[in-house]
Amino acid sequence: MAEQAIITTTVNLLQDNIQVSAYLAEPKEPGSYPGIVVLQEIFGVNVHIRDVTERIAKLGYLAIAPALFQRTAPGFETGYTPEDIETGRGYAMQTQASELLSDIQLAIDYLKNLPQVKKDSFGCIGFCFGGHVAYLAATLPDIKATASFYGAGITTRTPGGGPPTVTHTREIPGTLYAFFGKEDASIPPEQVDEIEAELEKYKIPHRVFRYDGADHGFFCDLRASYNPKAAADAWEQAKQLFSQLN
């Protein structure tokens, strides 16, 4: 299928006294499209996340990437140096699950108000920190398909404290695909097994992918850990997942 021409813009999502910046990419051709929320790594809505958002839109979706650090670091985006990682982790530690879910719902509600969006057809995709947040977002009633890429800490914590995110598995109403690299030291194999066991326990439609030779961040072509083979397969799987929304 030929890629669609797209339009991109930055929008502001308003709720009460909160203004959340978001990167929006949409097909130029008029039509009715599912919506996909793209969830950032600890590096903000940077060039990689904007690129992913655009790639999704070119497939025939309205894609939106809300800035998840808006409350503490408006406009934050950075690269992948050790210093960048330390800064991003600091901002991630300040997030709260309830606020993250509220911001994601805000992005969904924004899409719902666009005339070219299918009102009952939403998914989300997240990477690194956003992979963990995607697992949380999968519990939202509007989300029917979730792609969670190497989300660390799903079995051990939740943003802001409280029971680990994996304990919310039973609340997931849609399908979830999870992607992990076997060389990812931040997500031990037993944690991946625990996630898969919980998905099976609660009969959540799912697939869990484990890639040989792939490390954390294997999907990002701007990182030293980029693994073209694993990234290509994961992208095809994510495309198959989101095709269910059409």
Side-chain angles (χ1 to χ4, degrees):
M1 185 178 68
E3 287 190 344
Q4 299 210 27
I6 63 170
I7 303 167
T8 64
T9 187
T10 298
V11 299
N12 289 314
L13 315 178
L14 302 176
Q15 178 176 267
D16 300 327
N17 295 321
I18 299 297
Q19 178 174 286
V20 178
S21 175
Y23 187 69
L24 177 69
E26 54 188 311
K28 187 178 291 185
E29 186 73 20
S32 182
Y33 304 104
I36 305 291
V37 182
V38 182
L39 302 170
Q40 66 180 60
E41 301 172 297
I42 60 173
F43 310 105
V45 182
N46 65 1
V47 62
H48 170 58
I49 296 301
R50 293 195 297 271
D51 176 66
V52 171
T53 306
E54 293 168 11
R55 288 173 66 184
I56 291 170
K58 289 174 182 176
L59 296 173
Y61 302 91
L62 265 82
I64 189 167
L68 299 181
F69 296 164
Q70 189 76 13
R71 286 172 171 78
T72 52
F76 174 75
E77 67 169 278
T78 191
Y80 302 96
T81 68
E83 294 77 17
D84 294 334
I85 292 171
E86 184 176 352
T87 301
R89 281 179 176 163
Y91 290 136
M93 292 296 290
Q94 297 178 55
T95 60
Q96 304 279 332
S98 60
E99 293 175 346
L100 292 165
L101 288 171
S102 176
D103 292 349
I104 294 164
Q105 188 63 53
L106 188 61
I108 293 170
D109 292 342
Y110 178 88
L111 292 181
K112 283 183 178 179
N113 285 321
L114 299 179
Q116 66 272 44
V117 171
K118 292 184 177 181
K119 310 303 182 190
D120 61 349
S121 201
F122 294 96
C124 70
I125 185 171
F127 306 87
C128 178
F129 166 73
H132 185 145
V133 177
Y135 204 98
L136 276 171
T139 66
L140 293 172
D142 283 311
I143 298 293
K144 294 184 176 179
T146 298
S148 170
F149 280 73
Y150 36 83
I154 290 171
T155 65
T156 59
R157 63 181 183 271
T158 200
T165 293
V166 75
T167 62
H168 297 283
T169 301
R170 71 185 72 187
E171 302 166 30
I172 296 173
T175 300
L176 186 141
Y177 282 15
F179 304 86
F180 301 98
K182 289 187 177 180
E183 304 304 315
D184 188 344
S186 67
I187 312 172
E190 57 269 21
Q191 293 187 10
V192 178
D193 293 342
E194 183 179 344
I195 290 168
E196 187 168 37
E198 286 296 293
L199 291 165
E200 291 174 353
K201 177 181 177 181
Y202 293 106
K203 297 180 172 54
I204 309 301
H206 71 278
R207 294 186 69 184
V208 176
F209 300 88
R210 301 167 173 85
Y211 293 104
D212 291 325
D215 205 338
H216 194 77
F218 69 79
F219 189 79
C220 178
D221 58 5
L222 300 178
R223 301 179 70 171
S225 56
Y226 176 57
N227 185 306
K229 183 178 179 181
D233 183 79
W235 184 242
E236 289 304 313
Q237 301 296 345
K239 285 163 60 177
Q240 185 275 326
L241 169 68
F242 291 139
S243 71
Q244 301 173 18
L245 298 172
N246 291 309

